[in-house]
Amino acid sequence: DRRLVPVAVFGILDRFGWGLWMPLLNAYLKEYAGFTDEFVGLYNSLMGAGMLVFSLPAGYLTDRVGALEMLVTNEFLGAAGTLMLALGSNTIALASAIPIGVSVSLWITSYNTVTSMILGAGSVGRVRAGVDATRTLISIPAPLIGSALFSGLGTLAPFVTGAALMVLATAPLIATKKTKEVE
């Protein structure tokens, strides 16, 4: 069904973008940002706290503002957090855990809502399985590519490339909203 294409393209770009850098996160924080083991743990705890604290507001905003709008917002927050992580001082890198955690909270509620609305309640399982399988299959090489970028072009390459793909992922959603194919 052609109504699945924008969400599938979004899912592929989103998953690939996050996959370029997320598997490298703890090693990056420790080896290149110079975080101690305790600060790597603190970073991950802050990301989890951001996800938890914003989970209820994310659901409210998704229902109130709209799932597509919140899915777009999630990508921009995630990209901003990724750039803060890679380009900022250690304090800014540590603070990046919050927008990244908030981004994940928004993604969960808005992605689940969008995928359940596309073909209706009777097709949620099929839509989720199809979109998730496609985005997972295509993103399998992302961590390997991210590692190659990290080694070949420098530590910033997978983060900046990932953030760019996350922003690019919003294009099919914005186009969909303009054509009102999914609301």
Side-chain angles (χ1 to χ4, degrees), residues 10 13 21 23 37 53 61 83 89 105-107 112-113 118 124 129 142 146 148 153 160 162 172 175 182:
F10 160 80
L13 293 171
W21 65 270
D37 291 336
V53 168
L61 287 169
L83 292 175
S89 66
S105 284
L106 279 173
W107 183 89
N112 287 340
T113 301
I118 294 173
V124 173
L153 297 178
V160 173
V182 175

Side-chain angles (χ1 to χ4, degrees), residues 16-97:
F16 207 95
W18 285 81
L20 288 174
W21 65 270
M22 186 61 95
L24 301 169
L25 178 60
N26 291 342
Y28 169 78
L29 290 172
K30 186 167 177 144
E31 297 298 321
Y32 295 93
F35 282 27
T36 63
D37 291 336
E38 291 78 17
F39 271 93
V40 171
L42 176 61
Y43 183 92
N44 285 286
S45 292
L46 285 172
M47 191 168 33
M51 289 167 38
L52 173 65
V53 168
F54 205 71
S55 61
L56 292 176
Y60 175 81
L61 287 169
T62 297
D63 289 343
R64 180 66 83 190
V65 176
L68 282 175
E69 290 82 359
M70 290 300 96
L71 205 50
V72 169
T73 301
N74 129 74
E75 288 303 298
F76 282 105
L77 272 174
T82 302
L83 292 175
M84 287 171 62
L85 173 65
L87 301 174
S89 66
N90 280 1
T91 303
I92 292 172
L94 189 60
S96 75

